[in-house]
Amino acid sequence: MAISTRLFGRTGPSVTRVGLGGEGVLRTYGRGRDALQVIEEAATRGISYFDSAKAYAGSQRYYGSFYRSHQENRSTIFQTSKSAAREYHEARADLFETLEVMGLKSLDLWQIHDLRTRGELEEIESSEVLGAISRFRSLRALG
């Protein structure tokens, strides 16, 4: 039975309505075999939205192990990850670390993790303190 999909945002791509999160066995250390089985099963069943975060223990390393042995799957998976950093330079460093650990050239979605207050939102949007989002937005505008 195929898992239904929908457009991510207004323009796509199309992703499964069920995703593989970075919790559970993926939020551990030292359980690589178990984690790889979960990731492989999700990919085999057609799940195309995979989530991770630096804060989710070994999840990024587990995904990296998967991609290193299943490179053919990368084009069919919408891979996301997150940083809890509030300033641009820290979020950028987290992004490069994530890409290295996961063995990827790019992610499909990079998010700022665990925003809880309007103040935190204003902080990441601030150009005065090089907030994480303000600086990434200006880089995107430059192409």
Side-chain angles (χ1 to χ4, degrees), residues 79-91:
Q79 181 66 60
T80 73
S81 200
K82 310 174 196 76
S83 170
R86 300 301 186 243
E87 293 187 16
Y88 166 74
H89 297 291
E90 294 168 348

Side-chain angles (χ1 to χ4, degrees), residues 43 47-50 66-67 73-79 108:
I47 292 175
S48 65
Y49 184 97
F50 285 15
F66 169 76
Y67 287 123
N73 289 83
R74 178 61 184 106
S75 65
T76 62
I77 293 171
F78 188 85
Q79 181 66 60
D108 298 297

Side-chain angles (χ1 to χ4, degrees), residues 6 17-18 21-22 31 40 51 53 95 98 116 128 138 142:
R6 68 175 300 171
R17 291 178 180 252
V18 174
R31 295 192 56 198
E40 288 173 340
D51 181 57
L95 174 59
T98 293
R116 295 176 184 245
E128 293 174 21
S138 66
L142 296 174

Side-chain angles (χ1 to χ4, degrees), residues 52-142:
S52 183
K54 185 175 179 179
Y56 297 165
S59 70
Q60 293 181 341
R61 291 200 186 284
Y62 296 148
Y63 281 121
S65 177
F66 169 76
Y67 287 123
R68 284 180 182 88
S69 60
H70 297 83
Q71 293 177 3
E72 71 281 1
N73 289 83
R74 178 61 184 106
S75 65
T76 62
I77 293 171
F78 188 85
Q79 181 66 60
T80 73
S81 200
K82 310 174 196 76
S83 170
R86 300 301 186 243
E87 293 187 16
Y88 166 74
H89 297 291
E90 294 168 348
R92 184 176 185 269
D94 284 351
L95 174 59
F96 285 117
E97 179 183 341
T98 293
L99 292 172
E100 183 177 329
V101 166
M102 294 177 90
L104 300 175
K105 293 180 182 177
S106 66
L107 294 169
D108 298 297
L109 178 64
W110 179 242
Q111 304 166 86
I112 301 301
H113 199 199
D114 202 23
L115 291 176
R116 295 176 184 245
T117 67
R118 179 166 294 285
E120 286 180 314
L121 178 60
E122 291 168 358
E123 182 181 4
I124 67 168
E125 291 180 328
S126 171
S127 59
E128 293 174 21
V129 296
L130 285 179
I133 296 298
S134 68
R135 182 71 174 140
F136 280 116
R137 278 187 188 148
S138 66
L139 290 175
R140 186 177 71 196
L142 296 174

Side-chain angles (χ1 to χ4, degrees), residues 25-26 73:
V25 72
L26 299 183
N73 289 83

